[in-house]
Amino acid sequence: MNSTIYLKLLKVFLFSFIIILPLRSLCQINNVGLERISAYGKVWGVINYFHPEMGKGKLNGDSLFLKHLSYLPENPSAINFKRSVAGMLGELHDPQISITEKYTSTDEMKLTARKQYAYHLLPGKQLYLALPQTAFAKGLNTDSILRRSPSQKIVVDLRNADLNNDLGLKQYKRFVQPLIAGIIHDMMLLPTERSFFYKGLMRQDFPQDINLFDPDKDGNVDHLQVHNGLRNVSEGAYLLPVDVENYSSYRYCFIINRFTNINSVKAIMALRNRNRCLVVFDGPVPDYLYGTFYYMNLPDGLVAKIRTSEVIYEDGTLGPAPDLVISGQSDTTLHSLSVVSAGNLLKMPIKLKHGHVENTVLVRKPSNKYATNGMPGVNLRLLGLFNFWNTIHFFSPNKNLIALDWDTALLHFIPKFLAADHEDKYFMALMELTASIKDGHAILINTVTGRSPSGFMDGNLPFACDQIDDKVYITSIMPDSAQHAILSQLNYGDELIAIDGLPVRSIINKWEPLLPASNAAGFKRELYATWLTAGAVNSEAKITLVRNGRQKNINLKRINRNDYYNLWGKVIRPVSVPAIFPPVCRILDGNIGYLRMNRIYTNQLDSLANLLRDCKKIIVDARGYPRDGSIGTNLATYIASKTDTVSYDEFPFVTGPNLSKRQMMIDYSVIAPKPNPNLKHQQYYILVDEGNQSQGEWNIIALQGVTKAVTIGRTTAGANGMAVTVTLPGNYTTFFSGFGEYYTDHIPNQKNGVKIDIEVKKTLKAAINGEDDIFNKALSIIKEK
């Protein structure tokens, strides 16, 4: 690309970060249209994660979304919206779910029922027995009613006119329970609800037929294992047979309605599941007979009713439906439709119920690849957006830290993803989306090219900066041989004023909504390590500097990002500073121990403990990311003198889309001491900085929990709690913190970083010379004591 043309493009990018054109100039979608598209994605999220059919291995969530999105992005009309949502619901083949117009009446539903006990013979010689709950107000006892029945076919009318828990329970305990106990010959389990449960969220790029963590020699799996599955909500409800009365020789048809006590309804339906009775339901059947349902208010006055649990019977099937459902009756005479229908049912053989035995485990097939080899089409882009939104909405333990109102965030992002029809626009839309959750784990990765697409933002100018006292200074100059002569014009400590005429402060402001960070320390780490000077490889940029009060311009070319990172490790400093890092463990002057924790392995701890055993004061350099994921825990066991809880993890425990009912499961992190005495009772000094993140932060928390250490350094990244992968179309992947990490005093690690006793601020001198100001501060404190 011609450099002049590129510079013009870069200016447009840095000023607007490829601001997507107003949506009305692209596809004429107004706010109502956006709300419809948003609602489609939210309905899909509820179906995908909570409708029981999605866990049985027969449906694929991504395919369901794409199949019925159809022309909605192009024309989000009311007709297309309703058709798309109805199409998704129809794929579930669930007669109990629907999309309907909102019911606005506030009148309480009224049902008719017998007001008192009745005992009659019907024309077909069946016995009609009415036992409404009001009949039990005066202590009605029904022990002898059936014993004097003149018929072997009995219609039992248990309809009630309203809900009365006290009388309804008496109706159950004094009649229904003893009756059914005399019909059955062995224990009968009552139906129970079954739903999904999620303890955290399984990473989306991981095969779900194996554990995230290998079991130990005893078969135990690490406590960070997340668990997804199907959960039976058993209330321990069952009925035992009785030998005192035997009512099994009679044939029964029960008439019930929505005001019949739930205990009676469950027992009667369990008996129907055994093919021992018939059931007539008068009026609308209550949801609980089939499971739990989530009602979603949608645009255009629509309501989506979505099943989020199902009712499982004792034989492992979904059980029967009532034999007959009749609209609410206007009378309760012997000639009413419900009574006559019940009598007629008893004249015919019972229709045997044969149900399919349900599977008992969740089967969700992850979709890691999408049907595109290049730039994703608009429907795939929306799939990625809605996948990310729903994942965060239901499973992020840190959603409260998001500055953007997450409930309405889709209205902000849908226009960007609709218009992101080129790789660069799509990349920037993804950057803003992932950065919006304010989580340092949410780094966007292109699994083919790295951090950026090829040819766009994939290079860096061969120098690095630090922000010190609100000014940006050049603190590393890369030894790029191809630009050696030009780079020699740079000096360490030059203040960076602008790139291509754009003030540095403006560039920083533009990056703020685009970089994933939990706090300011994490943002600065991302900005100055990678993004401040980013652009296309080989593109040229004009650098404006200030040195000794004079302004200077230098033109440099961007180099490949991998080369940029590699050359950073070969930077030659203006002042020679002795390296303190290698070896990873040594004894310093004054018998001070030094241990670089994140470069050692657990199997080295015995020998390292022996080396440091006579050191009364030990510096544990915890900066960086560990090579051994368990080194923090294992080192803490060597230091600990007693068993203690050092922190706890909060996992979202999600069983349905109603987040007001979401629970948090707590796992405690307990450190038990190793018998090795060599590292116990010393004074420890822990070094930390913004490079500590996730496991690197947990290691510090573990050490702080077992010793009265002095923690020295700078704010850490504040992103902890198992990075959960979220896949996105176009070969992209991102992450989020899957659980909350807390100190025992309930202070969260997320956003705050680890606790620091002594803060060390950056200085220009140390940054230029590569001096380890944090290590030097620790040494000075130790020597003062």
Side-chain angles (χ1 to χ4, degrees):
M1 180 185 292
N2 181 280
S3 61
T4 302
I5 296 175
Y6 177 80
L7 287 176
K8 291 180 180 178
L9 290 175
L10 179 63
K11 287 183 179 180
V12 172
F13 162 74
L14 289 173
F15 273 122
S16 62
F17 277 77
I18 309 179
I19 294 175
I20 296 170
L21 296 175
L23 192 61
R24 59 180 176 273
S25 67
L26 292 168
C27 42
Q28 298 296 320
I29 298 180
N30 56 23
N31 288 337
V32 174
L34 291 178
E35 289 174 355
R36 289 176 183 138
I37 298 173
S38 172
Y40 178 86
K42 291 180 179 182
V43 170
W44 171 75
V46 173
I47 293 172
N48 186 46
Y49 283 115
F50 301 108
H51 193 284
E53 282 302 304
M54 297 305 298
K56 298 177 183 178
K58 300 173 184 177
L59 293 173
N60 179 280
D62 293 352
S63 299
L64 183 70
F65 176 93
L66 294 171
K67 180 178 180 180
H68 297 284
L69 185 61
S70 189
Y71 298 106
L72 189 61
E74 297 176 16
N75 180 18
S77 65
I79 293 174
N80 280 347
F81 171 63
K82 186 173 182 179
R83 182 184 295 125
S84 293
V85 174
M88 274 199 300
L89 296 178
E91 291 283 332
L92 302 171
H93 301 292
D94 184 344
Q96 306 306 322
I97 63 177
S98 62
I99 177 171
T100 58
E101 292 186 4
K102 191 178 297 183
Y103 180 71
T104 57
S105 174
T106 57
D107 293 339
E108 181 106 13
M109 180 174 294
K110 299 184 183 301
L111 298 177
T112 57
R114 298 301 292 258
K115 296 182 179 179
Q116 57 189 5
Y117 166 71
Y119 186 100
H120 300 285
L121 279 178
L122 299 175
K125 303 302 182 184
Q126 303 95 341
L127 174 64
Y128 172 71
L129 181 63
L131 286 164
Q133 62 189 11
T134 51
F136 294 88
K138 298 180 180 180
L140 175 67
N141 192 314
T142 60
D143 291 345
S144 61
I145 292 175
L146 293 177
R147 270 183 280 167
R148 58 188 177 89
S149 171
S151 174
Q152 293 296 108
K153 298 176 182 178
I154 305 173
V155 176
V156 182
D157 189 345
L158 296 173
R159 290 176 293 179
N160 296 319
D162 55 33
L163 280 176
N164 186 309
N165 291 332
D166 181 57
L167 291 179
L169 193 58
K170 289 179 179 178
Q171 183 187 44
Y172 170 70
K173 293 178 70 175
R174 294 182 184 177
F175 179 76
V176 178
Q177 185 183 51
L179 170 61
I180 295 179
I183 295 174
I184 60 178
H185 298 295
D186 55 0
M187 181 176 68
M188 183 174 72
L189 300 178
L190 300 190
T192 188
E193 237 182 290
R194 184 173 77 164
S195 66
F196 285 153
F197 77 91
Y198 302 90
K199 180 200 171 192
L201 182 69
M202 180 76 76
R203 50 191 282 191
Q204 293 183 350
D205 65 335
F206 203 83
Q208 296 188 21
D209 57 345
I210 58 178
N211 285 331
L212 277 174
F213 301 95
D214 292 331
D216 60 22
K217 59 182 177 59
D218 298 320
N220 299 315
V221 178
D222 188 283
H223 74 289
L224 296 183
Q225 175 75 38
V226 296
H227 300 285
N228 299 343
L230 297 173
R231 180 186 70 146
N232 283 3
V233 187
S234 174
E235 298 172 344
Y238 58 89
L239 274 176
L240 294 174
V242 294
D243 297 328
V244 177
E245 299 291 350
N246 186 347
Y247 303 129
S248 61
S249 61
Y250 297 95
R251 289 191 61 197
Y252 301 91
C253 183
F254 292 92
I255 306 175
I256 55 179
N257 64 13
R258 66 185 301 116
F259 293 151
T260 305
N261 183 268
I262 188 171
N263 297 282
S264 296
V265 174
K266 286 185 174 182
I268 290 167
M269 294 308 299
L271 190 66
R272 178 64 186 92
N273 188 63
R274 287 191 174 187
N275 299 316
R276 299 301 306 273
C277 72
L278 297 159
V279 179
V280 173
F281 212 99
D282 186 359
V285 179
D287 287 346
Y288 68 76
L289 201 62
Y290 301 107
T292 299
F293 294 84
Y294 185 64
Y295 289 81
M296 298 182 69
N297 290 323
L298 306 178
D300 309 311
L302 299 176
V303 175
K305 176 185 177 184
I306 304 172
R307 182 196 300 274
T308 57
S309 75
E310 58 191 5
V311 175
I312 297 292
Y313 283 73
E314 62 181 354
D315 58 356
T317 72
L318 296 180
D323 295 278
L324 185 64
V325 178
I326 300 174
S327 299
Q329 297 301 294
S330 59
D331 67 82
T332 57
T333 67
L334 297 182
H335 303 290
S336 67
L337 180 60
S338 56
V339 176
V340 172
S341 298
N344 289 335
L345 283 174
L346 284 175
K347 296 176 183 179
M348 299 179 289
I350 291 180
K351 185 178 180 180
L352 299 182
K353 172 260 172 188
H354 298 290
H356 169 72
V357 177
E358 296 294 306
N359 66 319
T360 57
V361 296
L362 179 146
V363 181
R364 189 193 295 281
K365 299 175 182 177
S367 290
N368 299 330
K369 297 185 182 298
Y370 298 89
T372 178
N373 292 322
M375 176 66 195
V378 62
N379 287 5
L380 271 177
R381 298 198 299 271
L382 288 177
L383 170 61
L385 168 62
F386 292 135
N387 177 41
F388 184 83
W389 186 91
N390 280 288
T391 295
I392 300 304
H393 177 66
F394 291 120
F395 303 108
S396 172
N398 304 301
K399 196 169 70 169
N400 61 306
L401 300 179
I402 301 175
L404 186 64
D405 179 2
W406 201 244
D407 287 337
T408 61
L410 286 173
L411 301 180
H412 172 79
F413 284 110
I414 288 172
K416 296 177 180 290
F417 277 74
L418 287 175
D421 52 359
H422 295 289
E423 183 74 24
D424 50 2
K425 293 180 181 179
Y426 180 53
F427 173 72
M428 298 311 298
L430 288 176
M431 285 284 281
E432 183 179 353
L433 174 67
T434 55
S436 69
I437 66 173
K438 302 302 180 185
D439 185 344
H441 270 137
I443 295 173
L444 182 66
I445 300 292
N446 186 303
T447 57
V448 176
T449 61
R451 296 296 301 272
S452 310
S454 295
F456 181 76
M457 307 297 289
D458 57 348
N460 288 87
L461 296 173
F463 63 83
C465 300
D466 266 313
Q467 183 176 331
I468 299 166
D469 296 330
D470 291 328
K471 293 185 177 182
V472 178
Y473 297 95
I474 293 177
T475 54
S476 295
I477 301 174
M478 315 302 176
D480 177 23
S481 57
Q483 301 186 82
H484 174 73
I486 303 175
L487 287 171
S488 65
Q489 300 178 47
L490 293 180
N491 280 355
Y492 284 87
D494 285 346
E495 182 183 353
L496 181 64
I497 298 298
I499 299 177
D500 284 327
L502 301 175
V504 169
R505 173 47 58 188
S506 296
I507 298 173
I508 294 171
N509 291 341
K510 295 297 183 181
W511 277 115
E512 282 183 353
L514 297 166
L515 297 187
S518 301
N519 55 30
F523 170 75
K524 290 177 183 178
R525 185 193 70 188
E526 279 288 295
L527 176 68
Y528 295 115
T530 303
W531 299 105
L532 181 68
T533 68
V537 172
N538 293 324
S539 62
E540 191 174 89
K542 181 178 72 174
I543 310 304
T544 303
L545 309 169
V546 169
R547 182 189 305 160
N548 299 324
R550 293 186 177 182
Q551 189 168 299
K552 182 176 183 178
N553 294 324
I554 296 174
N555 290 337
L556 284 168
K557 285 188 176 181
R558 291 178 174 86
I559 61 176
N560 179 278
R561 182 161 294 139
N562 288 334
D563 295 337
Y564 166 79
Y565 288 144
N566 290 333
L567 290 174
W568 205 338
K570 301 175 183 178
V571 168
I572 300 174
R573 296 290 171 185
V575 176
S576 178
V577 178
I580 65 157
F581 290 142
V584 295
C585 182
R586 65 176 178 174
I587 299 176
L588 307 174
D589 292 342
N591 200 33
I592 300 169
Y594 173 82
L595 181 64
R596 194 177 182 200
M597 180 174 64
N598 290 323
R599 291 297 179 269
I600 62 175
Y601 296 89
T602 297
N603 60 11
Q604 298 175 288
L605 286 176
D606 276 331
S607 59
L608 295 176
N610 187 58
L611 175 65
L612 299 174
R613 63 183 178 182
D614 294 326
C615 298
K616 299 300 182 185
K617 297 178 180 180
I618 298 176
I619 297 173
V620 178
D621 193 341
R623 293 171 291 180
Y625 198 82
R627 293 179 175 176
D628 179 344
S630 60
I631 191 63
T633 301
N634 288 320
L635 178 58
T637 65
Y638 277 76
I639 295 174
S641 57
K642 62 183 180 67
T643 299
D644 207 350
T645 299
V646 298
S647 69
Y648 64 90
D649 308 321
E650 280 194 350
F651 285 85
F653 186 72
V654 183
T655 59
N658 186 348
L659 295 184
S660 66
K661 297 182 179 180
R662 187 177 77 167
Q663 306 170 51
M664 300 300 287
M665 292 189 68
I666 295 179
D667 285 352
Y668 291 95
S669 300
V670 179
I671 301 293
K674 284 272 188 184
N676 188 315
N678 291 335
L679 292 181
K680 303 185 191 303
H681 310 299
Q682 284 97 325
Q683 175 62 52
Y684 287 90
Y685 300 83
I686 304 174
L687 310 186
V688 305
D689 67 10
E690 59 277 1
N692 289 107
Q693 178 169 314
S694 197
Q695 186 69 47
E697 291 182 287
W698 152 250
N699 290 346
I700 298 162
I701 293 171
L703 298 183
Q704 290 174 330
V706 297
T707 179
K708 294 181 180 179
V710 178
T711 303
I712 304 168
R714 289 187 282 271
T715 303
T716 60
N720 203 344
M722 189 181 64
V724 178
T725 312
V726 180
T727 56
L728 299 165
N731 299 313
Y732 285 100
T733 295
T734 188
F735 313 86
F736 73 98
S737 300
F739 63 83
E741 183 78 50
Y742 290 81
Y743 283 94
T744 53
D745 60 3
H746 314 303
I747 294 177
N749 178 211
Q750 192 77 14
K751 188 177 181 179
N752 296 319
V754 303
K755 294 181 178 180
I756 295 176
D757 298 301
I758 299 173
E759 183 180 1
V760 180
K761 293 185 176 181
K762 286 185 178 181
T763 65
L764 184 58
K765 175 178 175 294
I768 290 173
N769 295 334
E771 297 175 2
D772 193 338
D773 48 0
I774 295 175
F775 173 78
N776 291 338
K777 182 66 173 180
L779 278 183
S780 67
I781 292 172
I782 293 172
K783 291 176 180 178
E784 287 174 1
K785 295 185 177 181

